[in-house]
């Protein structure tokens, strides 16, 4: 077992003994359930209306009517929920004075940062896997194109990784957990709004740059079933940048 | 085994330790003795690579703390001043985690865990949550953590703070049993602690080393020297150094009360006259000058007294007179 594994195992253990994860998990799954239920109900009423107009059973596109709106709303939910998952990562080590133990053990700061990120990411992937129940049940009663569903999940996995890495950076910056959570909300919302500003500015160089910088346009393409290397590179770079900054911050705290 | 040369650490403009120099031989137990705020923790943090020194060189087992921190960390077991415990883990889980980040393999970890659990008598609480353990047990878990990977060097920051007398004796016995096979530095602000379990004492005061010797020789030396207490109205910042430079002065202890110094002078020489002329001649204002007769204990009491007085005023009247049993509340 490498030190990174040891950190991951410790973080998972800490998550499972803390009520925060159960609350966050329950809220996330509940919201996902409600969102997809509403989307399905909405699809049902549309089907009835279409039947009245056309007089025959209409072929509904579940991808457009159920999955896409659910994936979009879920991005907002992640933005609110994931900072709660990461806020304790470094703040708690400082509170318990275990930071000194980690920093005087023969492991690198990069191993600590990556281990903590992966610990939170495993929890998140677990929650995502549980939501897989919804498309599975729907596939039993109807048929739809699995492709955009898979790419949508890929989008969620990438978006979540970026959000969690931002949260790791925020928790390295402050000893206060609440401040860490709000810091990551703040950063993520600003980056999101950059994208909105970009689309207002339209097809200008500045507009395109802003849209590229925001995570939402890249997510949007994945949800629509388009896998483009450009988007994958964006998420990978964002993830590495956030973890690198977190590494620098943790390292620099020893110099104060 | 441990080499510290002219190490200075500044936090902004504040100098926490200044040109600290000492060495520790293999198998030796060395006490770092000084009042709170003297710079003991800072020195230990530099040796464990937790913080870098501003100037100077620190080496452990031949490796530089700044350039080869991994090699140094591998060889050190460290008990920080505040116990680094994960309250939500059990003792076994905690020690397993520590063993893994110290780089022990699974079989090594199993034998090491059994060894420290036995050595520190943690068998009964192995599967209890750390949060539910008494202070004494938590301290032992902290020590188990430092001993787990069987490092050749142990750095223990105030290892007996907050323990009752019986537990203190147990920890002292443990430290004595480590002597010879391990190189140990422990810090303390309690004099008997230093004399009980250590072969050599470094007295540190206001960030500077004022004396290094065996406990016996230190007290003998202090018994056989003249001591002068001086209080100066407007002391320049380097007055301690200037006193030290006077012929016949051996050691200068700086009290935490500003302007108050204790000079240790060679036996048979009365320096009062010289000191008075030195202070008055420089126009610093001489408020008090007298010879005193003191043991090592008295000297140390005097160094810490001012601070204890502050704590007394802070709501614990009568406490802190007897250094042996005084425990400083942690900030
Ligand atoms: N991170 C820090 N920033 C500023 N000052 C500090 C810091 N750490 C310690 N100090 C100061 O350095 C001095 C020495 O502290 P320390 O080494 O903890 O003393 P000791 O362990 O002997 O009680 C104290 O005056 C303390 O206030
Ligand atoms: Mg200290």
């Amino acid at each position: 077992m490498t030190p990174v594994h040891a950190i991951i195992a410790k973080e998972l253990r800490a998550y499972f003994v803390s009520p925060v994860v159960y609350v966050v998990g329950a809220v996330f799954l509940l919201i996902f359930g409600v969102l997809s239920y509403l989307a399905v109900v909405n699809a049902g009423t549309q089907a009835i209306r279409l039947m009245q107009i056309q007089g025959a059973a209409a072929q509904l596109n579940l991808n457009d009517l159920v999955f896409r709106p659910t994936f979009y709303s879920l991005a907002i939910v992640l933005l609110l929920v994931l900072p709660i998952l990461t806020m304790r990562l470094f703040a708690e080590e400082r509170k318990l004075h275990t930071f000194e133990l980690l920093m005087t053990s023969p492991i690198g700061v990069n191993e600590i940062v990556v281990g903590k990120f992966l610990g939170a990411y495993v929890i998140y992937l677990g929650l995502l896997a549980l939501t897989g129940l919804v498309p599975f049940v729907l596939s039993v009663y109807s048929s739809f194109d699995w492709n955009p569903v898979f790419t949508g999940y890929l989008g969620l996995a990438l978006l979540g990784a970026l959000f969690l890495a931002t949260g790791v950076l925020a928790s390295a910056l402050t000893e206060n957990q609440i401040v860490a959570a709000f810091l990551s909300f703040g950063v993520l919302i600003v980056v999101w709004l950059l994208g909105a500003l970009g689309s207002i500015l339209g097809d200008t160089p500045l507009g395109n740059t802003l849209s590229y910088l925001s995570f939402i346009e890249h997510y949007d393409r994945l949800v629509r079933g388009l896998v483009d290397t450009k988007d994958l590179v964006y998420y990978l770079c964002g993830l590495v940048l956030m973890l690198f900054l977190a590494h620098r911050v943790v390292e620099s705290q020893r110099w104060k | 085994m441990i080499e510290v040369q002219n190490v200075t650490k500044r936090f902004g403009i504040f100098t926490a330790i200044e040109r600290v120099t000492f060495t520790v031989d293999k198998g030796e137990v060395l006490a770092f003795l000084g009042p709170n705020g003297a710079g003991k923790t800072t020195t230990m943090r530099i040796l464990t690579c937790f913080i870098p020194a501003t100037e100077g060189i620190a080496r452990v087992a031949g490796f530089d703390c700044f350039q080869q921190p991994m090699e140094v960390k591998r060889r050190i077991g460290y008990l920080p001043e505040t116990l680094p415990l994960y309250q939500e883990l059990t003792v076994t889980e905690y020690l397993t985690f520590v063993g893994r980040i110290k780089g022990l393999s699974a079989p090594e970890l199993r034998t090491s865990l059994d060894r420290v659990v036995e050595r520190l008598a943690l068998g009964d609480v192995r599967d209890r949550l750390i949060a539910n353990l008494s202070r004494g047990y938590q301290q032992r878990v902290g020590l188990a953590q430092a001993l787990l990977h069987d490092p050749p060097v142990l750095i223990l920051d105030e290892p007996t703070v907050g323990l009752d007398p019986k537990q203190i004796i147990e920890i002292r016995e443990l430290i004595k049993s480590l002597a010879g096979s391990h190189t140990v530095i422990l810090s303390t602000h309690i004099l008997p602690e230093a004399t009980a379990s250590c072969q050599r004492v470094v007295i540190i005061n206001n960030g500077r080393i004022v004396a290094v010797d065996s406990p016996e020789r230190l007290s003998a030396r202090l018994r056989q020297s003249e001591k002068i207490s001086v209080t100066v109205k407007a002391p320049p910042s380097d007055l301690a150094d200037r006193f030290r430079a006077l012929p016949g002065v051996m050691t200068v202890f700086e009290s935490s009360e500003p302007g108050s110094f204790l000079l240790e002078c060679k036996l048979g020489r009365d320096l009062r006259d010289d000191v008075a002329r030195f202070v008055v001649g420089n126009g610093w204002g001489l408020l008090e000058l007298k010879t005193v007769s003191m043991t090592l204990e008295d000297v140390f009491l005097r160094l810490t007294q001012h601070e204890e007085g502050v704590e007394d005023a802070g709501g614990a009247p009568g406490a802190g007179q007897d250094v042996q049993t005084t425990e400083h509340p942690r900030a």
Side-chain angles (χ1 to χ4, degrees):
Chain A
M1 189 175 242
T2 67
V4 175
H5 288 130
I7 302 269
I8 298 175
K10 196 237 14 168
E11 291 305 331
L12 288 178
R13 162 78 206 187
Y15 274 127
F16 280 109
V17 293
S18 114
V20 174
V21 166
Y22 297 100
V23 173
V24 163
V27 167
F28 176 77
L29 292 176
L30 184 75
I31 294 179
F32 182 85
V34 170
L35 285 175
S36 41
Y37 173 75
L38 289 177
V40 168
V41 168
N42 179 37
T45 43
Q46 298 242 13
I48 292 167
R49 202 178 313 135
L50 274 178
M51 205 146 58
Q52 285 163 347
I53 297 167
Q54 299 178 348
Q59 190 56 48
L60 276 179
N61 186 340
L62 278 190
N63 290 103
D64 283 349
L65 285 173
V66 176
F67 290 113
R68 218 186 285 171
T70 310
F71 278 130
Y72 285 143
S73 326
L74 220 49
I76 302 173
V77 179
L78 289 187
L79 189 137
L80 296 174
V81 156
L82 293 188
I84 310 284
L85 220 50
T86 49
M87 66 183 186
R88 54 163 282 279
L89 284 176
F90 280 98
E92 204 164 74
E93 302 282 359
R94 294 225 190 75
K95 197 183 82 194
L96 295 172
H97 298 276
T98 44
F99 189 61
E100 204 163 342
L101 167 68
L102 293 181
M103 297 300 281
T104 55
S105 293
I107 59 172
V109 173
N110 47 353
E111 289 169 307
I112 300 172
V113 170
V114 169
K116 283 182 173 291
F117 165 75
L118 287 177
Y121 199 47
V122 167
I123 298 280
Y124 170 63
L125 289 184
L127 287 176
L128 268 195
L130 288 177
T131 66
L133 207 61
V134 170
F136 177 75
V137 168
L138 281 177
S139 75
V140 173
Y141 295 103
S142 61
S143 66
F144 53 84
D145 185 1
W146 271 100
N147 218 26
V149 178
F150 283 134
T151 60
Y153 267 101
L154 176 65
L156 278 179
L158 293 171
L159 196 68
L162 186 61
F163 286 9
L164 288 173
T166 310
V168 170
L169 171 62
S171 88
L173 279 169
T174 165
E175 289 188 28
N176 185 316
Q177 301 203 15
I178 307 296
V179 173
F182 273 94
L183 203 60
S184 22
F185 291 145
V187 170
L188 294 176
I189 287 172
V190 166
V191 176
W192 192 313
L193 293 180
L194 279 186
L197 188 64
S199 45
I200 292 170
L201 291 175
D203 201 8
T204 60
L206 182 64
N208 286 334
T209 314
L210 288 182
S211 304
Y212 186 81
L213 283 181
S214 176
F215 42 77
I216 209 66
E217 193 190 281
H218 307 277
Y219 178 62
D220 185 62
R221 269 197 290 276
L222 284 164
V223 168
R224 281 190 277 129
L226 306 168
V227 182
D228 189 340
T229 343
K230 200 173 66 174
D231 302 323
L232 303 186
V233 167
Y234 168 85
Y235 281 111
L236 214 64
C237 289
L239 176 69
V240 170
L241 176 71
M242 287 302 164
L243 292 183
F244 172 75
L245 288 178
H247 174 281
R248 300 309 305 169
V249 168
V250 172
E251 183 71 35
S252 73
Q253 267 149 2
R254 295 170 49 229
W255 293 84
K256 280 197 282 202
Chain B
M1 198 67 178
I2 298 173
E3 229 185 307
V4 177
Q5 276 174 25
N6 287 316
V7 166
T8 298
K9 176 72 193 180
R10 290 191 201 96
F11 295 104
I13 55 157
F14 176 77
T15 306
I17 56 170
E18 195 168 352
R19 277 182 278 125
V20 163
T21 302
F22 66 96
T23 56
V24 192
D25 294 330
K26 196 162 191 290
E28 195 181 15
V29 179
L30 178 120
F32 231 64
L33 178 66
N36 276 353
K40 304 181 294 293
T41 301
T42 304
T43 311
M44 292 185 148
R45 285 181 164 171
I46 290 171
L47 277 173
T48 53
C49 313
F50 183 59
I51 54 174
T54 314
E55 280 161 29
I57 297 169
R59 275 200 213 96
V60 174
F63 296 101
D64 190 289
C65 290
F66 186 68
Q67 272 149 12
Q68 294 151 300
M70 283 300 164
E71 295 301 324
V72 172
K73 288 174 186 180
R74 256 189 268 285
R75 287 165 177 78
I76 285 185
Y78 176 39
L79 177 71
E81 193 168 11
T82 317
L83 297 176
L85 302 175
Y86 293 105
Q87 305 289 333
E88 75 273 9
L89 300 188
T90 67
V91 173
T92 308
E93 282 171 339
Y94 173 71
L95 292 176
T96 306
F97 169 69
V98 173
R100 285 171 180 166
I101 60 171
K102 301 282 179 193
L104 296 181
S105 68
E108 281 171 341
L109 182 59
R110 226 168 297 126
T111 50
S112 301
L113 207 102
D114 289 340
R115 183 174 48 82
V116 294
V117 164
E118 191 187 317
R119 185 148 202 182
L120 290 150
L122 289 167
D124 295 341
V125 298
R126 272 188 97 130
D127 299 315
R128 297 255 302 272
L129 286 183
I130 291 176
N132 300 337
L133 297 183
S134 67
R135 182 73 178 84
Y137 270 117
Q138 291 195 347
Q139 188 78 22
R140 279 195 250 169
V141 175
L143 274 165
Q145 163 275 126
L147 290 169
L148 187 65
H149 61 302
D150 201 19
V153 176
L154 284 162
I155 296 189
L156 313 174
D157 201 349
E158 313 232 0
T160 56
V161 133
L163 300 183
D164 63 40
K166 182 169 160 287
Q167 295 167 329
I168 290 180
I169 290 167
E170 282 170 13
I171 302 278
R172 280 185 194 161
E173 288 305 316
L174 175 81
I175 291 169
K176 273 191 211 156
S177 74
L178 294 169
S181 54
H182 295 73
T183 308
V184 184
I185 299 186
L186 65 89
S187 78
T188 174
H189 61 268
I190 305 162
L191 180 70
E193 180 78 36
T195 48
S197 41
C198 302
Q199 291 134 27
R200 217 145 52 95
V201 181
V202 171
I203 299 185
I204 183 169
N205 178 221
N206 275 346
R208 286 153 173 274
I209 289 183
V210 287
V212 185
D213 220 329
S214 70
E216 300 79 26
R217 290 240 298 278
L218 264 182
S219 32
R221 203 180 87 189
L222 282 161
R223 227 177 293 122
Q224 291 168 9
S225 60
E226 309 279 352
K227 276 154 297 266
I228 303 174
S229 160
V230 197
T231 309
V232 178
K233 194 168 161 192
S237 57
D238 61 341
L239 187 54
D241 284 334
R242 294 205 195 191
F243 276 144
R244 224 166 265 139
L246 285 181
V249 174
M250 298 196 309
T251 318
V252 177
F253 296 96
E254 226 172 314
S255 166
S256 37
E257 245 163 305
S260 171
F261 299 86
L262 186 74
L263 313 187
E264 191 199 342
C265 312
K266 289 208 179 83
L267 197 64
R269 281 188 66 174
D270 191 350
L271 286 178
R272 277 179 296 178
D273 203 22
D274 299 350
V275 172
R277 225 172 306 126
F278 179 61
V279 173
V280 174
N282 281 294
W284 295 319
L286 185 62
L287 294 183
E288 193 188 10
L289 179 73
K290 61 180 183 204
T291 52
V292 284
S293 99
M294 283 181 149
T295 63
L296 179 58
E297 203 126 341
D298 295 331
V299 169
F300 197 70
L301 248 175
R302 198 187 158 86
L303 288 177
T304 50
Q305 221 161 31
H306 179 62
E307 189 184 25
E308 311 261 338
V310 171
E311 278 163 16
D312 287 353
Q321 294 310 310
D322 179 3
V323 174
Q324 284 206 41
T325 55
T326 302
E327 276 162 19
H328 289 248
R330 310 269 100 224

